[in-house]
Amino acid sequence: MTRILMVCLGNICRSPLAEGILKSKVDSSFIFVDSAGTGNYHIGGLPDKRSINVAKKYAIDITDQRCRQFSVQDFDNFDVIYVMDNSNRRDVLALARNQQDKDKVKMILNELFPDENVDVPDPYTGGLHGFEQVFEMLNKACTIITQNMTQ
Ligand code: 4NP
């Protein structure tokens, strides 16, 4: 079983979409996918309505997800930790206990643009269009993730 964690700040906009998209592309018998936020603002809450609606448009249901905060145990529980932006990366790396923990942390858009450390923009304060763009980027990145798994 490969275990993949998607991480953003609030765990209500970007990482729930990343979790839902990747889950829609993989066999859950072999790949476990979850998401978490570095912040604690929305613990226990549903994903943002705009993320729910954009996912729904592509036939992905993310309403079973509940927000949780990233914790140091996640380094033990996951094989790969995909962060959405450079700020998430700093926050997650600050909790790493050793090099093995650090090596698990990857920028998700580096799957599309290797070594460029491009951020998935935070759509929280913007309009619906931002959520559409985020969906598109994450969909491309998750397609590459699944392609690399089967090689
Ligand atoms: P996310 O977006 O990190 O993609 O879930 C955000 C959601 C909420 C907040 C910030 C970012 N917030 O400050 O409440």
Side-chain angles (χ1 to χ4, degrees):
M1 179 72 93
T2 302
R3 300 157 301 169
I4 298 176
L5 183 67
M6 303 295 191
V7 175
C8 63
L9 172 59
N11 190 213
I12 58 168
C13 299
R14 292 166 292 177
S15 60
L17 277 177
E19 176 186 338
I21 292 167
L22 188 58
K23 275 181 172 163
S24 77
K25 296 180 189 294
V26 299
D27 182 341
S28 61
S29 324
F30 302 108
I31 315 286
F32 175 71
V33 188
D34 192 16
S35 66
T38 56
N40 61 2
Y41 323 109
H42 303 281
I43 293 173
L46 279 163
D48 188 284
K49 278 203 173 65
R50 295 164 294 179
S51 284
I52 290 175
N53 289 335
V54 169
K56 194 171 164 188
K57 201 171 137 183
Y58 296 93
I60 296 172
D61 182 5
I62 60 169
T63 58
D64 59 327
Q65 296 185 32
R66 294 295 177 275
C67 175
R68 73 170 180 89
Q69 190 171 23
F70 180 84
S71 80
V72 73
Q73 282 76 36
D74 287 316
F75 287 114
D76 299 323
N77 294 336
F78 291 90
D79 303 300
V80 184
I81 297 168
Y82 281 114
V83 292
M84 301 295 126
D85 66 29
N86 283 281
S87 162
N88 307 151
R89 180 160 71 164
R90 277 191 296 274
D91 291 341
V92 169
L93 287 178
L95 295 172
R97 299 156 299 185
N98 50 45
Q99 193 57 41
Q100 194 188 354
D101 287 355
K102 288 180 187 171
D103 289 343
K104 293 184 175 187
V105 183
K106 297 182 178 184
M107 297 279 288
I108 193 162
L109 289 189
N110 279 358
E111 298 289 336
L112 278 176
F113 312 111
D115 302 319
E116 290 189 25
N117 296 332
V118 176
D119 289 343
V120 179
D122 185 347
Y124 185 58
T125 54
L128 254 189
H129 184 60
F131 284 76
E132 285 280 358
Q133 287 179 321
V134 164
F135 185 97
E136 219 169 277
M137 290 174 198
L138 291 176
N139 196 36
K140 285 182 187 161
C142 288
T143 297
I144 294 173
I145 291 169
T146 55
Q147 285 167 350
N148 290 341
M149 276 172 186
T150 52
Q151 273 172 16

